[in-house]
Amino acid sequence: MKFDTPAGQNPIDQLKVVGKPTARVDGKLKTSGTAPYAYERHDVVANQAYGHMLGSAIAKGRITRMDTSAAKAAPGVLAIVTALDTPKVAKGRFNTASLFGGPKVEHYHQAIAVVVAESFEQARAAAAMIRVTYVKQPGRYDLAALAKSAKLVSASSDEGTAPPEVLRVGKFESAFAAAPVTVDATYTTPDESHAMMEPHATIAAWNGDKLTVWTSAQMVAWARSDLARTLRIKPENVRIDSPFIGGGFGAKLFVRADAVLAALGAKAAGRPVKLALSRPQIANNTVHRPATIQRIRLGATRDGTLTAIAHESTSGNLPGGSPETAQSQTRLLYAGANRLFALRLAELDLPEGNAMRAPGEAPGLMALEIAMDELAEKLGMDPVQLRIVNDTQVDPEKPDRPFSSRQLVECLRTGADKFGWSKRNARPASVRDGRFLVGMGMAAGFRNNLVVRSAARVRLDKDGVVTVETDMTDIGTGSYTVIAQTAAETMGVGLDRVKVMLGDSDFPASSGSGGQWGGNNSTAGVYAACMKLREAVATQLGFDASRAVFADGRVIAGDRSAALADAARDVALIAEDHIEYGDLDKQYQQSTFAGHFVEVGVDRFTGVTRVRRMLAVCAAGRILNPTTARSQVIGAMSMGVGAALMEELAVDTKRGFFVNHDLAGYEVPVHADIPHQDVIFLDETDNKSSPMKAKGVGELGLCGVAAAVANAIYNATGVRVREYPITLEKHLEKLPAVT
Ligand code: MOS
């Protein structure tokens, strides 16, 4: 099904099943501990041995010798594959560093050997017995020190061959110089780790040339093609199975070392191998969100109209890596005639930086939305009002290109009303509650909506059950549920008549889960397949498909009606289709919007910040399931609190690694850290986004939150901190005297 004109009325609009707050269809499996996660799939293949990764103990240099004699003689050891004795693996299309290093070492904890043994403990113990001789080379590990030498990279999303340049609209410098009220400030965000609950894990088994991996991957089709490329085998010889994923947050968008090492280990041992990365290996072996240094300049007239906007961001990465695109939302969020955007990239020898939890917008808004708060204060203007007066309904770089739907102003007004914003005292450090200084802060939320081809297969059986098969993944988001709702709605059956099978590369290739594109695109693909199945059903039963109504397990046209199941009485009906998109996302800017409101208390004596309550108001197209969408948004809001208050990978700038590489040292918020979270979804359908009229929502819940927390802290204390995370030592000395 090609989607190239805005959606008209269609079966989804019935909203008998879609749009309802349905509990997860996979909830029982999860709460009973029977949802199969990669490492626990004991039943899929017999005789599983255990693999353990050895990571490089240096960040940059060469391996000259690996002595495996003691490890080979250790109890239970079945096979050892090292960087020096195996043909070099290829680099995947989506990887920056090789997933199996050596002799060259590109980053700390890069995989250099895998040990396979009868038990996990034996494999781990033997891995520790491998003696590695390195020749160290000096590396570059300090972004702040290297920022000046960072090179300009293209700030435009229009991929082309043009040399990178600063992106300009109008004349920023003269407009900024002429502006009566300005902000010019630099903000920093640290390296961060995904810290999803389920570690990277894979069971790999070979059958001749054919490799099956049971793994934890957000993007099954990417995993298949990149694992094949890495191992230099044909993609059709690789099967990926990833039905349940214990969180990804971007860390599982791309194949990682667990899959490669399990496959190499299984080949060497002649047995299936399971391998998980231990928590302390993940931070340095895999990927992280790169740190940023962001300079923002805003110029406005006295009434708050923005006349000049500049956002320049510097980040680092391994050679060949990409920048954190922290300027992306600033290009679209506010009007303003004169604009400047620049992205700079420094080469670092730290582990690979890549997508994490709303890459681009999440760290970008951490800077921009503090700058807006600073501007509002200088103007003596309410921060909500400042954002409202600078709203735009068109792409500021291409004014003939409207937003497909944009309710930022409504989000902000609704949020201010529901949160009790009018009770905020604009004068900082003026509200106390016992030992706490209390403040309120807000920020706009913005995240783009991406459209991606997505395919599905649906089958109708003689018992009237509709089975959906697609390689779509459920990373904890609710994919099983919204896909079941889509199939039930389109086929006119109850949810109890729908079975959803996900995550298998034998199924048609879906959008996968990433960039908050999964929900809208994967359901649109299922809708396309179901519409095709309706045609097959109508033909079988002698109905005109365009007139037939599918409801209550029946097909009805005029005064004739038949049971849906009758169409499959003799043989199951199968339909396969995909959704593909025309250029509606070029004609219209498709984005999602939020207003984030936060109240904090900062301990007057210790400087510790406690979040007291949070509200997110989201406008993100049709909400397919308010329950699962809300769960995503409150999870995302918690991540925003993490970014604001605690999350930071500490860099050892001499040795080149992240020091706090476990969940004791790398802190993330827990439920008890945030007593109260509210989410409101504005009523919205977007007929340009897909036949579902939905958009992404998960990552929107995060974008802007950290700045709202930061602004609330400023309102509480009067101390402006521009370096995340806002830990107590950054403002303790400057807090108002305790009287
Ligand atoms: Mo997301 S960081 O694109 O999984």
Side-chain angles (χ1 to χ4, degrees):
M1 179 184 287
K2 181 124 188 185
F3 184 74
D4 51 8
T5 52
Q9 189 83 9
N10 69 40
I12 300 299
D13 293 320
Q14 300 173 98
L15 298 181
K16 288 183 188 164
V17 194
V18 169
K20 294 275 188 289
T22 305
R24 281 165 200 263
V25 297
D26 53 332
K28 265 198 192 124
L29 288 176
K30 288 199 168 179
T31 50
S32 61
T34 49
Y37 290 88
Y39 199 73
E40 294 141 10
R41 302 194 68 181
H42 315 294
D43 56 328
V44 289
V45 59
N47 208 22
Q48 298 173 15
Y50 291 82
H52 194 83
M53 179 189 93
L54 179 67
S56 170
I58 64 165
K60 191 172 166 71
R62 294 186 75 75
I63 301 168
T64 53
R65 188 157 177 268
M66 294 179 83
D67 179 356
T68 56
S69 48
K72 274 191 178 133
V77 170
L78 300 167
I80 297 177
V81 181
T82 75
L84 299 187
D85 64 16
T86 193
K88 185 104 189 90
V89 302
K91 190 155 73 64
R93 196 156 67 89
F94 297 108
N95 297 129
T96 306
S98 175
L99 295 180
F100 198 42
K104 187 175 152 199
V105 172
E106 294 165 286
H107 63 86
Y108 185 78
H109 269 180
Q110 186 172 26
I112 57 170
V114 56
V115 176
V116 180
E118 292 288 353
S119 77
F120 167 76
E121 289 79 6
Q122 288 169 332
R124 184 177 57 178
M129 289 178 197
I130 300 175
R131 291 283 157 261
V132 186
T133 312
Y134 301 96
V135 177
K136 274 196 222 172
Q137 287 164 1
R140 302 155 293 180
Y141 310 121
D142 189 344
L143 177 65
L146 290 157
K148 283 216 160 49
S149 65
K151 292 206 173 54
L152 194 64
V153 288
S154 184
S156 167
S157 57
D158 307 330
E159 299 285 326
T161 49
E165 55 185 35
V166 174
L167 197 145
R168 290 173 176 280
V169 177
K171 294 196 165 115
F172 171 78
E173 281 84 354
S174 52
F176 184 71
V181 184
T182 59
V183 167
D184 179 351
T186 297
Y187 306 85
T188 62
T189 65
D191 296 287
E192 294 175 353
S193 190
H194 301 77
M196 65 285 165
M197 192 178 290
E198 182 202 22
H200 302 267
T202 297
I203 299 171
W206 292 88
N207 184 355
D209 290 345
K210 305 237 184 249
L211 171 67
T212 302
V213 299
W214 295 270
T215 190
S216 188
Q218 293 175 226
M219 302 290 296
V220 166
W222 291 1
R224 179 190 219 180
S225 62
D226 244 19
L227 186 57
R229 179 187 283 244
T230 305
L231 298 171
R232 303 181 199 278
I233 59 178
K234 293 189 186 130
E236 53 269 33
N237 283 345
V238 176
R239 181 179 156 229
I240 307 283
D241 192 27
S242 181
F244 285 91
I245 295 154
F249 308 166
K252 297 171 183 169
L253 282 169
F254 316 117
V255 164
R256 307 298 337 166
D258 56 306
V260 176
L261 298 184
L264 292 173
K267 183 134 250 185
R271 270 173 69 173
V273 166
K274 66 158 62 176
L275 184 146
L277 298 183
S278 67
R279 186 65 64 181
Q281 291 174 333
I282 290 174
N284 288 288
N285 174 263
T286 67
V287 281
H288 68 282
R289 191 205 299 282
T292 66
I293 301 169
Q294 302 179 50
R295 182 185 184 197
I296 300 209
R297 284 173 287 173
L298 302 173
T301 57
R302 296 212 180 276
D303 67 357
T305 304
L306 284 166
T307 52
I309 303 174
H311 194 158
E312 297 169 86
S313 176
T314 301
S315 57
N317 215 332
L318 283 166
S322 326
E324 181 72 31
T325 54
Q327 88 308 358
S328 56
Q329 71 294 317
T330 311
R331 294 173 59 190
L332 292 159
L333 192 48
Y334 300 118
N338 303 287
R339 315 168 74 86
L340 180 154
F341 302 101
L343 276 182
R344 293 185 182 84
L345 182 61
E347 279 195 357
L348 295 180
D349 300 299
L350 288 171
E352 175 185 339
N354 213 319
M356 173 176 141
R357 309 189 204 152
E361 284 99 323
L365 284 161
M366 288 167 77
L368 175 66
E369 289 296 288
I370 294 187
M372 287 294 281
D373 201 62
E374 299 200 48
L375 181 64
E377 188 180 33
K378 284 194 174 178
L379 289 160
M381 193 168 173
D382 185 277
V384 174
Q385 190 57 22
L386 174 63
R387 283 147 175 108
I388 288 173
V389 302
N390 288 294
D391 186 47
T392 175
Q393 292 292 318
V394 298
D395 176 349
E397 289 168 23
K398 296 174 189 143
D400 54 353
R401 199 170 160 261
F403 283 87
S404 59
S405 56
R406 174 170 168 133
Q407 295 199 75
L408 174 61
V409 170
E410 292 77 2
C411 288
L412 296 172
R413 290 217 164 104
T414 304
D417 179 40
K418 301 286 183 202
F419 196 70
W421 184 253
S422 62
K423 296 196 191 70
R424 171 179 178 264
N425 190 327
R427 194 165 56 86
S430 53
V431 180
R432 267 200 209 167
D433 180 5
R435 62 186 290 133
F436 288 100
L437 297 161
V438 177
M440 288 190 207
M442 56 78 56
F446 176 99
R447 176 76 170 158
N448 276 328
N449 178 64
L450 300 172
V451 293
V452 189
R453 180 190 157 104
S454 194
R457 182 160 57 224
V458 285
R459 187 178 72 233
L460 175 68
D461 287 315
K462 62 174 183 302
D463 52 3
V465 170
V466 176
T467 302
V468 182
E469 293 176 338
T470 166
D471 84 356
M472 179 59 188
T473 48
D474 190 325
I475 60 177
T477 40
S479 308
Y480 280 103
T481 310
V482 293
I483 285 174
Q485 288 174 279
T486 302
E489 190 80 74
T490 314
M491 298 311 299
V493 298
L495 273 176
D496 60 333
R497 303 274 86 191
V498 178
K499 208 171 139 195
V500 179
M501 314 274 287
L502 299 182
D504 190 330
S505 62
D506 284 349
F507 300 152
S510 72
S511 63
S513 298
Q516 79 168 9
W517 64 62
N520 179 47
N521 292 289
S522 69
T523 53
V526 170
Y527 169 78
C530 286
M531 291 307 283
K532 210 167 197 177
L533 183 60
R534 282 167 60 124
E535 283 175 29
V537 168
T539 306
Q540 186 68 23
L541 295 175
F543 285 98
D544 175 353
S546 64
R547 289 177 191 208
V549 172
F550 289 66
D552 306 320
R554 299 192 71 78
V555 189
I556 307 133
D559 53 4
R560 229 190 107 208
S561 133
L564 180 71
D566 286 353
R569 196 162 39 199
D570 301 325
V571 55
L573 294 184
I574 297 172
E576 186 171 330
D577 201 1
H578 60 268
I579 191 81
E580 64 183 313
Y581 296 90
D583 67 350
L584 285 173
D585 66 327
K586 310 275 179 317
Q587 289 179 44
Y588 298 89
Q589 175 58 39
Q590 299 190 8
S591 306
T592 62
F593 300 88
H596 288 293
F597 293 80
V598 175
E599 183 180 290
V600 302
V602 177
D603 191 305
R604 297 198 289 139
F605 300 91
T606 67
V608 166
T609 299
R610 297 278 180 226
V611 172
R612 291 158 66 104
R613 59 194 182 97
M614 308 177 75
L615 167 67
V617 182
C618 302
R622 171 174 281 154
I623 300 303
L624 301 174
N625 181 331
T627 302
T628 54
R630 177 181 177 278
S631 294
Q632 285 195 72
V633 172
I634 62 172
M637 290 158 80
S638 308
M639 294 174 182
V641 172
L645 299 180
M646 17 182 127
E647 294 189 57
E648 175 175 25
L649 284 167
V651 185
D652 183 328
T653 55
K654 290 213 168 55
R655 292 179 185 81
F657 69 95
F658 300 125
V659 181
N660 51 341
H661 47 193
D662 59 35
L663 292 177
Y666 187 88
E667 291 182 34
V668 294
V670 297
H671 287 97
D673 288 318
I674 311 166
H676 195 86
Q677 289 174 297
D678 276 326
V679 182
I680 295 170
F681 295 112
L682 294 188
D683 206 6
E684 180 175 295
T685 49
D686 189 328
N687 66 358
K688 325 280 192 318
S689 64
S690 84
M692 303 303 295
K693 303 175 187 171
K695 295 197 277 196
V697 71
E699 293 180 327
L700 175 67
L702 161 61
C703 294
V705 172
V709 175
N711 295 338
I713 293 173
Y714 176 74
N715 182 242
T717 64
V719 183
R720 185 68 78 176
V721 178
R722 300 185 183 85
E723 289 120 42
Y724 290 100
I726 306 176
T727 41
L728 62 92
E729 80 284 1
K730 289 178 185 159
H731 61 195
L732 182 61
E733 296 291 327
K734 298 180 201 139
L735 290 185
V738 175
T739 51

